Structures are given as structure tokens and as C-alpha cells.
Amino acid sequence: MNNQKKILITGGAGFIGSHVVRRFVKEYPQYSIFNLDKLTYAGNLENLTDIENAPNYTFVKGDITDEVFIAELFEKHKFDGVIHLAAESHVDRSILFPLEFLKTNILGTAILLEAFKKFGNISNGLFYHISTDEVYGELENEGKFVETTPYSPNSPYSASKASSDHFVRAYHRTFGIPVVVSNCSNNYGSHQFPEKLIPLFINNIQNNLPLPVYGKGVNVRDWLWVEDHARAIDVIFHKGKIGETYNIGGNNEWKNIDLVHLMCKLMDEKLARKPHSSEKLITYVKDRAGHDFRYAIDSTKLMTELGWKPSVNFEQGLSKTIDWYLNNLQWLNNVTSGAYKNYYKVQYSNR
Ligand code: NAD
Ligand code: DAU
């Protein structure tokens, strides 16, 4: 790729996407960064106010499933690189609305691949697909996911991401499109929509609302600081080997209930509440259907071949994350008004 790249980042107004856009706009002033986002409930331009006027940044509102619109956009700009994050990303919503996940995550990815094949820089560019460790299914108490672990997705979300990964691989094999895929574990950090465990529980503790722990709270997730993920994406985009997959994880496994207790302790301190007050909000509720027991990622390939490693200690990262939400209550209020209330009712009442 030449140095004056035109790069399309999809889903750049979402949680991880906004961190990736910010990083690329700031670190690479020589690139033209286009952020394509439909601005669904999860997309929010308030996530990007600090870079919205940067000379190398353009926001485009649009839907990756709109084939004509996407073809015209690619024909006009002939992108050198695509970093594809746009997706429906919440497992619980995929249980409520599986077909929306199929449409956005599978069809949307295929439409982008087709447009890149026709109009993108396929001789010297890159289509980089951002995926999840959930495509590998679930683990028992031992072992970790490696890049060669067979796919075994269990939720409509992970099935749709697995399918989109396969389309990316197939476009490489069949059409010679230069691609790379990364599969990452659970991210946490600022600007995450409060439907996922950490921001939802921060919001509920702050408002003294019940903390709905699914099942017995024994499921395990491997948490990664979102800016470490954005840095991994930067490294893989620039140094990753075409046609390869890279796993990205925090080497940081937490049982849900232990994480919830840590959040309660940190928030009691920050909100000057009596010790152990927030943990009284913990409420065990009906388990998630098909709930994967444990995820754990082996990132050895990324660390040894490309020199990346996670940088943030989890307790410090979690503390910084909580501080961000407490310092941005207006952001939190804006995203939890309106449709959020209805979602919350459907998801958590009668549970
Ligand atoms: P998010 O839900 O916060 O953001 C998704 C973004 O995509 C939003 O800005 C939304 O408006 C946009 N979008 C949705 N449908 C679109 C469409 N049809 N056209 C254009 N834009 C559309 O998601 P996230 O948590 O930031 O995840 C980003 C990507 O990373 C996803 O592909 C997800 O599968 C993957 N991922 C997420 C995690 C995680 O822990 N959050 C971990 C691994 C991988
Ligand atoms: O592993 C990567 C994946 O991590 C990403 O691909 C997904 O986009 C992202 O949403 C995330 O999926 P999870 O389902 O693991 O994340 P979530 O925050 O929804 O849930 C984390 C754990 O907490 C999980 O075991 C379910 C549990 N949980 C979640 C919620 C929202 C609860 O106990 N109560 C809740 O209210």
C-alpha cells in the first residue's frame, strides 16, 4: 500500500470503532480516514467530537446492507484499505432478533467484499475483518482458543460472525482478495453502550438499580482494554500477513460474579458509599439461552509474530472505565433515554 492511503472504517461510531477511528486519524495524518456508520442505537457521533473536524477525517452515514449505496461509495473513493467493524454486536439482542444479525453481519460483510473486489485496491490494499472469539464456541475449565480451533458458534450473533469470517476467507481463496481477520475477546473501556455487562452494571450501580447476573454468575470471560484492541488492529493492519487470522485477548479471565463484586467495591469507594452497599443490588436472574460457559484467548501468534501485548492492568483499566462513565453522566443519560428503556424492559422484566 502507498503512504497516502484512503481507508474506510465501518462501524466507526460504535464502541470499538470510535477508538479505532480516533487512533488512525491521530496517528496517521497522511491517511484519509472515512468512517461509514448507519448510526443504529449503538452508533453515536458524540463518541467522536474530539476528531470530527480533523482534516483527514470524513463521516459518511450509510448502511452496509445497501448494495447500491456501497457500490457507489467504493466506485467514487477506490479505497486502499477497509477495516470492517460495523455489526450488530450484542448476544442478547441476537436472541431477540436473529434475522437482523444475519442481515447486517453476513449480507453486509459480503456486500462490502463485493464492492472492494470491484473497486478497491486489490493489488496492494487490504480488507481487514474484525471478528470475535465467540466463533470458536465455548471452553470448559481448561485450554484456550488458538487460531486453528474449529469454529463452533452457539448464538445467532456468533453464527453470523462465523459466517462473515468464512465469506472473508472465501473471497481470499476464490478471488485473491487481500484479507486479514482478527478474533478478539471481550472489550471494556469508555464509550461502550450500556447493554453489555460492564457499562450496564456501572449505570445500574450508579442509579441503585438491580444488577441482573445471569444464572449462577460462574461464566468466564477474558477482558481486554479497548485501546489495546485498537492498537492490535493498527499493528495487524500494517504488519499482518495476508490471508492470516490473529487471535487477540487480554490473558485476563474473570468469573462474572467476581468481576461484579470488584465493580461494586470500586464504585462504593468512588461514590463514597458504605463498604458492601452496592453488592446488595446483585440479583440472580434466569440464564441467557445457550450461554457459553468460558472464553479464553491464546494471543501467542500476535505477540510473537507482530510484537503486540496488552498494556493495561485490569483493575486500573476498570477503575479508569468507571471514572469515564461517572465523568460523562450526560453521555450515559443521552443513550439510556428513549429506546433503551423499552429494550431494558423486554430484556430484563419477567426474568
Ligand atoms: P457496537 O455495537 O458498539 O458498534 C457497532 C457499530 O456498527 C455502531 O456504530 C452501529 O451504528 C454500526 N452499524 C450497525 N449496523 C450497521 C449497518 N448496517 N451499516 C453501517 N453501520 C452499522 O459494536 P462494538 O462492540 O464496537 O463491536 C465492533 C466490532 O467488533 C463488531 O464487529 C463486533 O462483532 C466485534 N467485536 C466486539 C467485541 C466486544 O467486546 N465489544 C469483541 C470482539 C469483536
Ligand atoms: O467475546 C467477545 C464478545 O464479547 C463480543 O464479540 C461481543 O460483541 C460482546 O458483546 C461480548 O459478548 P458477551 O456475551 O461475552 O458480553 P456481555 O457483556 O453481553 O456479557 C458478558 C458476560 O456477562 C456473559 O457471561 C453474560 C453475562 N451477563 C451479561 C449481561 C448483559 C450477565 O450476567 N448479565 C447481564 O445483564
Side-chain angles (χ1 to χ4, degrees), residues 82-98:
V82 175
I83 304 177
H84 174 37
L85 295 108
E88 288 294 339
S89 69
H90 189 35
V91 174
D92 290 326
R93 286 186 195 252
S94 82
I95 296 166
L96 294 172
F97 315 109

Side-chain angles (χ1 to χ4, degrees), residues 88-92 131-134 157 161 184-187 192 195-201 211-215 217 219-223 256 285 288 291-293 295 343 348:
E88 288 294 339
S89 69
H90 189 35
V91 174
D92 290 326
S131 193
T132 171
D133 60 357
E134 298 195 12
Y157 164 69
K161 292 295 291 188
C184 188
S185 64
N186 291 58
N187 285 214
Q192 186 171 28
E195 62 185 354
K196 313 275 166 66
L197 180 72
I198 290 181
L200 187 138
F201 279 35
L211 304 176
V213 174
Y214 296 163
N219 303 66
V220 175
R221 296 294 182 265
D222 170 1
W223 293 95
N256 289 341
V285 299
R288 173 185 277 172
H291 198 175
D292 283 334
F293 173 60
Y295 305 141
Y343 164 75
Y348 293 102

Side-chain angles (χ1 to χ4, degrees), residues 140-183:
E140 305 279 323
N141 284 312
E142 299 297 318
K144 292 191 174 195
F145 297 133
V146 290
E147 285 79 359
T148 51
T149 302
Y151 275 31
S152 182
N154 292 317
S155 71
Y157 164 69
S158 53
S160 69
K161 292 295 291 188
S163 176
S164 62
D165 291 6
H166 290 321
F167 267 96
V168 173
R169 222 174 51 85
Y171 267 66
H172 175 59
R173 170 79 182 239
T174 306
F175 304 114
I177 305 302
V179 306
V180 73
V181 177
S182 58
N183 297 82

Side-chain angles (χ1 to χ4, degrees), residues 312-332:
V312 172
N313 162 285
F314 184 58
E315 292 207 21
Q316 286 166 2
L318 188 60
S319 173
K320 274 170 80 169
T321 302
I322 294 169
D323 288 343
W324 185 84
Y325 284 94
L326 295 181
N327 291 328
N328 289 276
L329 290 178
Q330 192 55 51
W331 183 96
L332 207 44

